[in-house]
C-alpha cells in the first residue's frame, strides 16, 4: 500500500536532504515518514586497542590527509593526532600503517590542487522555488570557473548525485560571478580521475522532475537504486549494449556475487523489495529520468586544469 501524502512542510527540502533521498530513497522514506531506523547506531564502540584499520576508517584518515595537504599543511603533522586519538596502532605498526595510508595521498592532492584555482568564492546561499517546492541550503567549494567536489576513493553513482544536484541548482540560479560548470574528482581503478559537468540550460525542468520523484518516494518506496540504475543506463547508452544486457548489468549490481556486494544487502532495500523483482519498467523509467541528463552532460577531462 501507500502512505498518505506527507505534510506540506516536506515541500521545503534542503540540498543535503535531496541528495540523501536519491542516495537511498527507501531509507529516506522509512526514516522520515515512519521513524524507522534499521542501522544499529546504538552499538557501543569496542573498548579494544587499535591494531588494524577497517576500510571506512582508512578512507576517513586518507580523506583527512587530502584535506590537510590541499589546505597547505603537511599530512605528516596529523600522524601524532591520529595516534593520540586511537585511530592508529601504537609503535611500529602505527608508523607502517600511516606510511601505507599516506601513499598516494600526496600525489592525489598535487593533481587536485591545480583545479582549485586562485579565486575561491563565498559559499552560495540557495533559496530556490521550483513549482510547489522550495530548495534551500548552501553550495560550497566554488571557484571562479567551477564548482568542485573531490574524494580520495573510486567515484560511485552516489558521488555523481552529490555533485549533480548542486550543479543543477547553480545552473538554475545562474548567479552573476558564480560558475555553471562542476568538476568531480576521484579515482578510477586507483588512478586520478576527474569528470566535468557542463552548463545545463534545462536545469529547472530537470530539478522539477527530480522533485516530483522525491514526492513520489515519500508515499511509497521508489524503485530507484543508485548503483543498479547507473550501471543499467551506462551499459545501455555509454556502452551501447542492448536493453537485455543493460538489465543484466543492473541485476548483477542489485544481487551481487562472491566478489561484489549487492545493493539488496542494504537493510532498507531488503525490507522494501525482498519479495519482488524491483528491476521492472518503472525502474528503467526512473533510471532514465535521473541519470540520462547527467550522462548526457558529463565528460571526462585531462588531469591538468
Amino acid at each position: 500500500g501507500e502512505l498518505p501524502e506527507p505534510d506540506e512542510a516536506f515541500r521545503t527540502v534542503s540540498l543535503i536532504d535531496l541528495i540523501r533521498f536519491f542516495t537511498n530513497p527507501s531509507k529516506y522514506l522509512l526514516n522520515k515518514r515512519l521513524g524507522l531506523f534499521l542501522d544499529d547506531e546504538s552499538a557501543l564502540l569496542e573498548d579494544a586497542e587499535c591494531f588494524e584499520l577497517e576500510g571506512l576508517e582508512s578512507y576517513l584518515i586518507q580523506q583527512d590527509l587530502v584535506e590537510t595537504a590541499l589546505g597547505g599543511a603537511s599530512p605528516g603533522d596529523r600522524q601524532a593526532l591520529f595516534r593520540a586519538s586511537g585511530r592508529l596502532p601504537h609503535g611500529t605498526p602505527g608508523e607502517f600503517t600511516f606510511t601505507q595510508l599516506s601513499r598516494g595521498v600526496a600525489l592525489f592532492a598535487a593533481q587536485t590542487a591545480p583545479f582549485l584555482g586562485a579565486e575561491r568564492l563565498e559559499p552560495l546561499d540557495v533559496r530556490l522555488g521550483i513549482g510547489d517546492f522550495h530548495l534551500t541550503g548552501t553550495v560550497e567549494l566554488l571557484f571562479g570557473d567551477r564548482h568542485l567536489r573531490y574524494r580520495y576513493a573510486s567515484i560511485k553513482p552516489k558521488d555523481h548525485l552529490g555533485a549533480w544536484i548542486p550543479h543543477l541548482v547553480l545552473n538554475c540560479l545562474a548567479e552573476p560571478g558564480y560558475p555553471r560548470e562542476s568538476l568531480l574528482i576521484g579515482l578510477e581503478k586507483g588512478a586520478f580521475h576527474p569528470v566535468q559537468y557542463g552548463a545545463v540550460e534545462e536545469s529547472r525542468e530537470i530539478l522539477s522532475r527530480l522533485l516530483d520523484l522525491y514526492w513520489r518516494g515519500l508515499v511509497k518506496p521508489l524503485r530507484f537504486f543508485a548503483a543498479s540504475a547507473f550501471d543499467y543506463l551506462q551499459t545501455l547508452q555509454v556502452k551501447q549494449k542492448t536493453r537485455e544486457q543493460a538489465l543484466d548489468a543492473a541485476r548483477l549490481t542489485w544481487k551481487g556475487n562472491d566478489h561484489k556486494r549487492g545493493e539488496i544487502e542494504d537493510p532498507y532495500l531488503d525490507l522494501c523489495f525482498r519479495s519482488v523483482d524491483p528491476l521492472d519498467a518503472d525502474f528503467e523509467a526512473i533510471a532514465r529520468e535521473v541519470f540520462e541528463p547527467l550522462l548526457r552532460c558529463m565528460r571526462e577531462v585531462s588531469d591538468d586544469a
Side-chain angles (χ1 to χ4, degrees):
E2 297 183 354
L3 295 173
E5 285 211 348
D7 186 272
E8 287 296 305
F10 278 90
R11 291 192 181 275
T12 298
V13 56
S14 70
L15 284 178
I16 291 175
D17 271 350
L18 192 59
I19 293 168
R20 284 174 179 162
F21 172 82
F22 279 102
T23 298
N24 191 334
S26 297
K27 179 177 180 178
Y28 193 91
L29 169 69
L30 295 178
N31 287 175
K32 297 290 187 177
R33 296 295 316 276
L34 298 179
L36 184 59
F37 294 84
L38 303 180
D39 298 323
D40 187 14
E41 296 178 346
S42 62
L44 296 175
L45 294 174
E46 292 184 8
D47 186 16
E49 188 172 5
C50 173
F51 289 103
E52 60 182 25
L53 298 178
E54 298 294 336
L56 176 60
E57 185 63 23
S58 296
Y59 162 72
L60 292 174
I61 289 178
Q62 287 174 311
Q63 189 69 10
D64 187 302
L65 294 177
V66 170
E67 299 282 354
T68 300
L70 290 175
S74 169
D77 296 341
R78 305 287 289 172
Q79 183 175 356
L81 178 62
F82 291 146
R83 188 169 53 247
S85 64
R87 297 174 69 185
L88 281 176
H90 294 294
T92 301
E95 297 281 346
F96 177 78
T97 299
F98 187 81
T99 300
Q100 291 292 101
L101 293 178
S102 300
R103 187 172 297 165
V105 167
L107 177 61
F108 181 85
Q111 290 172 307
T112 300
F115 291 102
L116 300 182
E119 179 191 7
R120 181 162 180 170
L121 304 175
E122 290 295 320
L124 183 63
D125 288 333
V126 176
R127 298 288 185 273
L128 180 62
I130 303 285
D132 295 329
F133 296 94
H134 298 278
L135 273 174
T136 64
T138 305
V139 181
E140 300 182 341
L141 281 179
L142 296 164
F143 299 88
D145 57 353
R146 60 173 62 100
H147 163 232
L148 181 65
R149 293 177 74 95
Y150 56 85
R151 64 191 299 262
Y152 187 65
S154 297
I155 295 176
K156 295 179 173 59
K158 66 179 182 180
D159 300 317
H160 284 292
L161 291 167
W164 176 244
I165 290 174
H167 177 72
L168 291 173
V169 169
L170 285 171
N171 276 267
C172 198
L173 290 173
E175 191 75 15
Y178 280 84
R180 295 184 62 189
E181 293 193 351
S182 295
L183 193 70
L184 172 63
I185 298 175
L187 302 176
E188 178 70 24
K189 297 180 179 179
F192 186 77
H193 185 67
V195 294
Q196 182 170 306
Y197 311 107
V200 186
E201 299 303 326
E202 68 277 20
S203 55
R204 180 174 289 272
E205 291 78 7
I206 297 171
L207 275 172
S208 179
R209 293 195 293 270
L210 292 181
L211 287 165
D212 286 342
L213 288 173
Y214 157 79
W215 196 252
R216 280 177 57 188
L218 293 175
V219 174
K220 64 181 296 186
L222 191 73
R223 294 190 181 220
F224 177 73
F225 324 108
S228 300
F230 191 80
D231 284 351
Y232 165 79
L233 212 61
Q234 262 212 327
T235 303
L236 187 68
Q237 295 192 350
V238 178
K239 299 179 182 178
Q240 297 186 327
K241 301 295 185 180
T242 66
R243 174 176 172 266
E244 289 72 23
Q245 289 172 313
L247 283 171
D248 286 344
R251 192 159 281 109
L252 175 61
T253 303
W254 174 254
K255 292 183 176 181
N257 57 27
D258 292 341
H259 310 288
K260 181 179 180 182
R261 185 176 182 268
E263 276 191 295
I264 185 58
E265 294 183 43
D266 177 277
Y268 293 95
L269 298 181
D270 177 57
L271 178 61
C272 292
F273 297 103
R274 64 176 61 150
S275 60
V276 299
D277 179 5
L279 307 186
D280 60 2
D282 196 29
F283 161 80
E284 293 181 82
I286 296 171
R288 288 177 178 272
E289 194 80 77
V290 176
F291 281 128
E292 199 169 58
L294 185 155
L295 289 175
R296 190 167 58 241
C297 183
M298 184 182 77
R299 67 178 180 88
E300 297 186 4
V301 296
S302 62
D303 60 353
D304 44 61

